[in-house]
Amino acid sequence: MNIREMTEQWEREYLSPYASLSINTRGRDRWEEPCDIRPAYQRDRDRILHSKAFRRMKHKTQVFLAPEGDHYRTRLTHTLEVAQIARTIAKALRMNESLTEAIALGHDLGHTPFGHSGEAVLDKICTHGFSHYKQSVRVVEVLEKNGKGLNLTWEVRDGILNHRTSGSPSTLEGKIVRLSDKIAYINHDIDDAIRAGMFTEDDLPEEYTSVLGRSVRERLNSLIHDIIVNSLNRPEIIMSPHMETAMKGLRAWMFQNVYHSEIPKAEEGKAQHMIIMLFHYYMERPDRLPEEYLTLTSMRGESRERAVCDYIAGMSDSFAIDKFVELFVPKAWKTV
């Protein structure tokens, strides 16, 4: 028996009867020889961690565009916080931690530069629309490794696709990530907004903080404990009604007072204008696209627009700005 088989045996003996066992995966689109060390979901987790799209998230906006300071969250730090929360819950419930972490690490791989502002403008100008959760799946199925994709298991891809609020993951591990995503961004976005001087902890509505807690630490502790207590030894991942109501209320308050307010959106118009100009530039000059995008869409019988959308969506904030400067900002003229 090799190490992978020993781990799979441990899963059968220790994990919850409601957990997703690695040995029971629905598999990959392309068959591969199993690893002698790592079960399937652990292998997926490693592939995501080593992907180019994962590394690019360190320079992609979470909420605040171009913030001054090193302590504001990026798309990467958000992803790591989601993974930490999700693993804590999965471990306590004896769920499959590797599957949980793989979904968490991959859930935002398809996010655009400039956060949801970039996503909104791409969705508007692309005829086929754009959503980051679908693009995240496209990244792992198609775009990584020059069109080969990461060949992840079905369960990981399902969790990535369904992490959004309206999603319905097929595994309990995916349901853990779906809730952990909201827990993470509500709390760390409060932290960032306080750092930006938008409000203080005391300004948060008492009707929500009296239930959830009066600090980021207290709220994380309350929400994580509530999910664990209400989901333990049950075939579902749920919160108590009063805790869920408070979390949804605080989330709605955040949309009104943070996500749609002037401070994080101050540079939004400029960022969206850059994306629009880049989009039209590459649509008119497809020869300026990297060859890999043209080759990929040609092989798959996809449109030029699909290639342009993939290229722009994959850009980091800094790369998009550099490209805009290169293409549209006049250079100083010098004599030879």
Side-chain angles (χ1 to χ4, degrees):
M1 181 179 290
N2 60 34
I3 295 174
R4 170 184 55 79
E5 292 170 338
M6 292 170 62
T7 304
E8 291 169 345
Q9 179 63 32
W10 177 88
E11 288 182 1
R12 287 192 289 266
E13 295 174 356
Y14 176 78
L15 293 186
S16 164
Y18 308 115
S20 301
L21 302 183
S22 301
I23 194 70
N24 293 335
T25 176
R26 289 175 55 170
R28 311 177 188 279
D29 284 346
R30 300 185 304 276
W31 184 86
E32 296 181 13
E33 187 72 35
C35 177
D36 63 337
I37 298 174
R38 300 166 297 166
Y41 302 139
Q42 183 182 346
R43 204 175 185 186
D44 285 358
R45 177 260 187 200
D46 294 349
R47 289 180 181 184
I48 292 169
L49 190 64
H50 289 287
S51 67
K52 292 185 294 184
F54 185 82
R55 295 193 294 275
R56 289 197 299 267
M57 288 195 294
K58 68 180 178 180
H59 294 304
K60 291 194 177 191
T61 292
Q62 174 62 22
V63 172
F64 292 87
L65 275 68
E68 293 184 2
D70 295 332
H71 296 152
Y72 291 91
R73 270 70 171 192
T74 65
R75 189 61 57 181
L76 178 60
T77 56
H78 160 71
T79 293
L80 295 175
E81 291 184 34
V82 173
Q84 179 271 319
I85 293 169
R87 283 199 63 173
T88 297
I89 296 171
K91 189 177 186 68
L93 296 177
R94 292 187 296 122
M95 293 292 143
N96 194 310
E97 288 183 64
S98 291
L99 173 57
T100 304
E101 188 175 19
I103 295 170
L105 293 178
H107 82 281
D108 271 354
L109 290 177
H111 241 299
T112 60
F114 311 115
H116 288 286
S117 299
E119 180 178 18
V121 73
L122 272 186
D123 184 48
K124 183 177 180 179
I125 62 179
C126 296
T127 58
H128 51 72
F130 183 90
S131 54
H132 78 275
Y133 56 90
K134 291 181 181 178
Q135 188 70 11
S136 294
V137 175
R138 182 170 171 83
V139 167
V140 301
E141 289 185 342
V142 177
L143 299 180
E144 279 290 323
K145 293 193 172 181
N146 298 318
K148 296 178 182 178
L150 301 179
N151 198 29
L152 304 181
T153 57
W154 182 90
E155 291 80 8
V156 172
R157 288 177 286 145
D158 171 81
I160 291 173
L161 180 64
N162 287 288
H163 79 271
R164 66 199 187 280
T165 299
S166 60
S168 181
S170 298
T171 66
L172 295 189
E173 289 83 358
K175 295 179 188 296
I176 289 172
V177 173
R178 179 177 170 274
L179 282 178
S180 298
D181 184 33
K182 292 165 183 57
I183 292 171
Y185 73 65
I186 290 172
N187 284 285
H188 66 49
D189 291 349
I190 287 174
D191 192 36
D192 281 355
I194 290 174
R195 182 180 299 279
M198 297 181 67
F199 51 78
T200 68
E201 178 68 37
D202 293 337
D203 293 323
L204 296 174
E206 170 70 17
E207 62 183 301
Y208 307 134
T209 58
S210 62
V211 176
L212 300 172
R214 291 179 169 82
S215 69
V216 171
R217 179 179 179 275
E218 288 183 6
R219 285 187 289 273
L220 288 173
N221 190 60
S222 297
L223 287 162
I224 292 170
H225 272 80
D226 186 80
I227 292 173
I228 292 170
V229 169
N230 286 278
S231 306
L232 190 63
N233 298 321
R234 301 182 66 177
E236 53 189 345
I237 304 298
I238 56 174
M239 303 172 68
S240 59
H242 75 287
M243 192 70 71
E244 183 176 14
T245 297
M247 187 181 80
K248 287 181 177 179
L250 185 56
R251 179 175 179 268
W253 187 89
M254 288 289 290
F255 268 93
Q256 181 177 353
N257 292 276
V258 177
Y259 305 133
H260 294 159
S261 68
E262 292 183 0
I263 293 179
K265 296 171 76 69
E267 302 297 308
E268 180 180 278
K270 297 176 185 177
Q272 291 187 332
H273 184 64
M274 278 199 299
I275 289 179
I276 291 171
M277 291 189 68
L278 288 171
F279 178 83
H280 290 304
Y281 177 88
Y282 288 112
M283 284 295 291
E284 294 169 4
R285 302 171 183 82
D287 58 299
R288 299 297 299 273
L289 285 169
E291 185 63 32
E292 62 187 274
Y293 288 90
L294 293 173
T295 301
L296 177 59
T297 51
S298 176
M299 289 173 54
R300 294 173 57 86
E302 295 172 329
S303 67
R304 175 191 306 175
E305 185 183 79
R306 179 72 261 182
V308 173
C309 188
D310 285 339
Y311 183 46
I312 293 176
M315 293 180 177
S316 64
D317 295 17
S318 55
F319 185 82
I321 292 171
D322 288 345
K323 273 296 174 187
F324 181 85
V325 170
E326 174 189 329
L327 298 174
F328 299 108
V329 177
K331 312 297 188 298
W333 182 83
K334 296 185 295 185
T335 58
V336 178

